Amino acid sequence: MGASFAVYIPYASGASASSEAQPEKSVWPDITAATVLFVDDDDEVRVLASRLLAKGGHHVLVASNAGEALLIADSYGPSIDLLVTDTVMPFMDGHSLARRICAKIPSVGLLFISGHPGRGNDPEDEGRFLAKPFTEAELAQAVTRALSQARRAESQAH
């Protein structure tokens, strides 16, 4: 005969045995989903941010460098609503990438990210900067702001 054992789970004081866990309130506002091109040379940042963006309801295209991002931009064209790019990457920095993407897709929104101190003061950032590391709420706010700016600029252009 096999041995038997018991597992004891402590009861949390103040918790009702029948209470259900409250669903987590989303930090993502109810906005129209966007197609986001996310570019970062850091694998962990790319994976985490793309998951958070998808959790916010966005379609996420991911690139590990500017070359990949330009190929994706060629393929998807104006369906890309927002470019989120690291400012410091090998071969081409985020601002140079943004200029090239904007030449292809003038209506694209921009959000620059960086973990390097002193970034975000570039005049090109125009309030479109998010320092790394960032929380999901900070990413949600920055993405929402960048998309709103882009959509407002596009509607004024028409």
Side-chain angles (χ1 to χ4, degrees):
M1 253 186 156
S4 65
F5 59 92
V7 176
Y8 295 95
I9 301 174
Y11 178 74
S13 134
S16 166
S18 64
S19 71
E20 295 180 23
Q22 294 296 318
E24 184 180 321
K25 186 174 190 278
S26 176
V27 298
W28 292 93
D30 292 329
I31 61 168
T32 305
T35 297
V36 179
L37 174 52
F38 188 89
V39 188
D40 198 301
D41 58 326
D42 184 309
D43 293 340
E44 291 178 14
V45 171
R46 244 186 357 268
V47 169
L48 178 60
S50 63
R51 286 182 182 161
L52 293 175
L53 289 163
K55 181 179 173 187
H58 300 293
H59 176 238
V60 187
L61 307 169
V62 181
S64 63
N65 59 55
E68 286 180 12
L70 291 168
L71 290 172
I72 291 170
D74 285 341
S75 296
Y76 285 84
S79 67
I80 298 173
D81 301 301
L82 179 65
L83 169 66
V84 180
T85 182
D86 192 359
T87 59
V88 178
M89 297 182 292
F91 310 114
M92 184 185 295
D93 67 88
H95 290 102
S96 297
L97 173 62
R99 284 190 290 278
R100 301 232 353 229
I101 298 279
C102 286
K104 296 172 186 280
I105 312 166
S107 62
V108 73
L110 299 173
L111 177 60
F112 299 101
I113 59 174
S114 181
H116 293 271
R119 300 287 176 180
N121 298 326
D122 192 306
E124 286 185 84
D125 294 348
E126 298 175 28
R128 301 174 295 194
F129 180 79
L130 179 60
K132 294 190 283 186
F134 46 79
T135 65
E136 180 179 3
E138 291 167 335
L139 179 62
Q141 289 173 348
V143 165
T144 302
R145 186 173 51 249
L147 285 169
S148 295
Q149 288 172 349
R151 289 173 177 157
R152 194 168 38 252
E154 186 176 12
S155 69
Q156 290 173 352
H158 292 121

